[in-house]
């Protein structure tokens, strides 16, 4: 278990003599209750989770709701700019928000390895609540399972988020239309390279920070000013290239992007060049792609630039009718090449 | 990985030469898409999951909803009467149902160990859908993460379920009232002892089957005939003793049960006696405790007995005012003893 904490490049907690998770914390009995009441309840503190029932009950207005689930297995647990707790909340908040919904509630399911440090768990839980506070969501129900040493890698966290769709919304991967513009909310590759750096796999020091962030407020602000947003998606695993291919396939359109418009910060570009990675395939955890009518594109772009998470937003391309189900890139050299989905495995356990 | 399949006492799938999960199946790229389209989509097949978005959108009427999440880490993955797939659906269906809700939708988050067999995964996914079909819920969104060998134990499954509360319902752990009767829906201990048997830890053969079952239809039938059901809960980890203590604590009442009324099938009783286990603390996965007014208790009991999962339902005790926060048992010898919550760890990774 000590390697968990060792792996953590910026783990803020001292290692030795910490109280540790033991199998009894998964018994469902007194020790489970202690764990919940000491670590989770004081932090997630809200009327739903405080009820002490096995689930939560909440009121909803009539309408449409969105739900999304993600399990988080990122390694290491702590990395510059984030940690598994922050990531587990932001990832799910963003997945709900990109469907055109206001994220409201979240559940959290923990699988913890025997021997895991109480203090590190507390740090992760605090980080979850910090992200939840920023996003304005409540973590209303949870579950904890403990597995023996050697049957996990410290901690895995599943979060499931639900939210209510904004009225009249029909935003999904099938709605991209010829003539639409493609906006990206900022620099590519920060998260993937930050995690790689925290693993010590770069072979040199780097100050690249993960972009892990809750994007729901920025998303809400653009939904409120435009009813011509057709698709939103966060380019996480598989990167921008994979996300755009998914959309091109779902909408049966062609998406063409311009290489020289795609923002990559110089330090990330350098690392990618040295290691042979393409930033188009690196995971992001605080970026969105917005596909919007040409008419509303400048208005939406301007609104995104107002958000601290969208300052570097830029139009990177456009949607056309054919060739269907294809992503193309106009390169800096003036040629056009096909951008395929990620094949094989680039960076495992990035989220 | 081979020990996963070896562990499975009744795993119906041959081991050698199976196609295996590799890290690339967690890439978010082409291999992830292949896994989803080949294994998950054809089985979970419904309009929500078929959309191909990162989440699902569904319509809700105005009212109250219930949500519950559970991660499942049961070992072995297959045991007499069930498997991790069946369990992962039933466990969450039951947690939503006992809040007085009709379970409607479910998400599924998979953490899979590199090297896991495609065929075994398919068997587990089929089993999930079989349980979902019986319960009448749709698995509408999912997520798959792959971790390296030695960082899981085959597969862990998180499910999160949501449902709409039946109108006028106020069923939770704080509602037990002095004078109420306590009904148990059947024999205790089957699940825990079945899993123990599948691990080969009994030291002898046993034909004890897990009681893993979706109880939502039985629960709906009693909600429809009585508006005096105050508490429902499924006595899973920690067993009946822990569940009753939670309720006694939440409601600040005393619950007194009669030892001679508690149903335990003879084979389970024998195993418990030999190994020194108390059936009151063994996990169940297909049982509920119902706390209902004395006036409606016989009506509710008769209705429960109509269900195939409630044939052995019986009144096991009653609620009184004091001593508050206490569970007592009238023993077969005529004495009364305190029944405490489970302390320490009895049977790890039972669900």
């Amino acid at each position: 278990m000590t390697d968990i904490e060792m792996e953590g490049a910026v783990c803020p907690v001292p290692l030795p003599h910490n109280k540790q998770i033991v199998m009894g914390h998964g018994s469902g009995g007194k020790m489970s209750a202690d764990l919940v009441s000491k670590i989770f309840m004081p932090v997630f503190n809200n009327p739903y989770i405080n009820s002490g029932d096995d689930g939560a009950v909440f009121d909803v207005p009539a309408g449409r709701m969105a739900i999304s689930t993600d399990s988080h297995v990122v390694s290491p647990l702590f990395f510059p700019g984030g940690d598994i707790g922050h990531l587990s909340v932001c990832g799910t908040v963003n997945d709900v928000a990109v469907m055109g919904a206001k994220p409201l509630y979240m559940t959290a399911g923990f699988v913890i390895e025997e021997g895991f440090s109480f203090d590190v768990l507390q740090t992760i839980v605090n980080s979850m609540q910090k992200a939840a506070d920023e996003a304005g969501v409540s973590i209303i129900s949870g579950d904890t399972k403990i597995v023996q040493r050697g049957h996990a890698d410290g901690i895995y966290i599943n979060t499931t988020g639900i939210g209510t769709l904004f009225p009249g919304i029909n935003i999904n991967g099938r709605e991209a239309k010829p003539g639409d513009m493609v906006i990206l909310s900022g620099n590519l590759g920060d998260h993937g390279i930050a995690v790689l750096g925290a693993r010590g796999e770069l072979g040199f020091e780097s100050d690249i920070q993960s972009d892990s962030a809750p994007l729901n407020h920025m998303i809400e602000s653009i939904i409120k000013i435009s009813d011509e947003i057709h698709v939103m998606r966060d380019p996480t695993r598989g990167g921008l290239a994979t996300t755009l291919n998914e959309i091109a396939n779902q909408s049966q359109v062609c998406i063409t992007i311009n290489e020289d418009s795609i923002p990559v910060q110089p330090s990330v570009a350098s690392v990618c060049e040295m290691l042979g990675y393409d930033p188009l395939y690196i995971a992001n955890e605080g970026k969105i792609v917005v596909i919007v009518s040409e008419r509303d594109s400048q208005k939406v772009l301007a609104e995104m630039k107002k958000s601290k998470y969208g300052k570097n937003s830029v139009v990177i391309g456009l949607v056309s009718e054919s060739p269907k189900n294809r992503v193309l890139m106009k390169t800096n050299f003036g040629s056009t090449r096909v951008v395929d989905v990620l094949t094989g495995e680039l960076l495992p356990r990035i989220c």
Side-chain angles (χ1 to χ4, degrees), chain A:
Chain A
M1 183 51 36
T2 48
D3 62 335
I4 299 301
E5 293 89 340
M6 304 269 298
E7 272 185 304
V10 295
C11 170
V13 179
L15 303 190
H17 312 307
N18 279 344
K19 195 176 167 191
Q20 291 186 336
I21 295 285
V22 299
M23 293 305 293
H25 289 116
S27 66
K30 190 165 168 28
M31 293 180 72
S32 295
D34 279 353
L35 177 67
V36 170
S37 67
K38 282 179 188 153
I39 301 272
F40 297 112
M41 302 270 275
V43 178
F44 294 157
N45 180 34
N46 61 59
Y48 308 98
I49 208 161
N50 295 348
S51 75
D53 291 315
D54 278 343
V57 169
F58 54 91
D59 293 304
V60 290
R64 308 186 80 197
M65 298 194 82
I67 188 165
S68 190
T69 194
D70 253 324
S71 295
H72 296 82
V73 300
V74 64
S75 170
L77 302 175
F78 295 83
F79 44 83
D83 59 65
I84 191 171
H86 193 263
L87 195 63
S88 71
V89 171
C90 295
T92 293
V93 160
N94 295 344
D95 280 343
V96 171
V98 295
M99 288 187 282
K102 186 183 186 74
L104 295 172
Y105 303 115
M106 188 171 285
T107 60
F110 299 87
V111 174
I112 308 177
E113 188 181 6
E114 181 187 17
F116 197 66
S117 155
F118 255 63
D119 287 349
V120 176
L121 178 60
Q122 185 73 68
T123 303
I124 290 168
V125 167
N126 291 347
S127 185
M128 291 178 76
Q129 186 56 40
K130 190 178 164 203
D133 282 341
E134 182 180 347
V137 301
S138 298
I139 298 170
I140 63 173
S141 193
D143 174 61
T144 307
K145 294 283 157 45
I146 314 298
V147 296
Q148 297 92 339
R149 280 174 202 270
H151 287 316
D153 193 8
I155 186 169
Y156 301 143
I157 305 177
N158 174 283
T159 53
T160 304
I162 57 175
T164 48
L165 252 69
F166 290 103
I169 286 290
N170 187 28
I171 295 175
N172 63 64
R174 295 168 299 290
E175 296 298 320
K177 293 174 190 6
D180 283 353
M181 306 303 282
V182 181
I183 303 173
L184 175 65
S185 66
N187 302 337
L188 287 186
D190 298 0
H191 176 73
I193 300 300
V195 172
L196 209 65
R199 286 184 200 159
E201 288 179 20
L202 294 186
F204 51 84
E205 295 281 314
S206 128
D207 60 354
I208 297 164
Q209 303 268 316
S210 166
D211 58 349
S212 171
L215 303 176
N216 55 315
H217 299 307
M218 177 169 72
I219 288 170
E220 182 170 345
S221 75
I222 62 172
I223 286 175
K224 285 195 168 156
I225 62 157
S226 170
D227 54 6
E228 296 185 2
I229 295 170
H230 298 144
V231 186
M232 288 190 289
R233 195 161 290 179
D234 48 340
T236 53
R237 278 190 295 176
L240 178 69
T242 304
T243 294
L244 293 180
N245 270 283
E246 287 170 3
I247 298 167
N249 175 257
Q250 285 182 274
S251 293
Q252 287 297 301
V253 294
C254 174
I255 297 174
T256 304
I257 56 177
N258 298 302
E259 185 172 18
D260 64 9
S261 69
I262 292 172
V264 181
Q265 63 163 313
S267 56
V268 171
S270 303
V271 170
C272 284
E273 206 170 301
M274 276 189 286
L275 301 179
Y277 293 140
D278 184 339
L280 288 179
Y281 294 92
I282 308 278
N284 312 280
E285 290 290 345
K287 296 299 179 307
I288 48 167
V289 173
V290 179
I291 297 186
V292 57
S293 72
E294 203 257 332
R295 186 170 62 175
D296 276 7
S297 60
Q298 288 305 314
K299 183 167 72 171
V300 167
L301 180 66
E303 186 67 26
M304 287 170 69
K305 284 171 171 285
K306 290 183 195 165
S307 163
K308 67 175 168 176
Y309 299 127
K311 276 181 202 160
N312 295 329
S313 294
V314 62
V315 173
I316 59 165
L318 51 80
V319 179
S320 59
E321 197 160 338
S322 66
K324 291 187 196 308
N325 189 15
R326 188 54 55 100
V327 177
L328 302 175
M329 185 162 76
K330 288 190 180 158
T331 70
N332 294 341
F333 308 108
S335 61
T336 298
R337 71 168 175 90
V338 172
V339 177
D340 209 346
V341 299
L342 175 63
T343 52
E345 177 58 298
L346 187 59
L347 304 171
R349 296 185 54 195
I350 215 74
C351 60

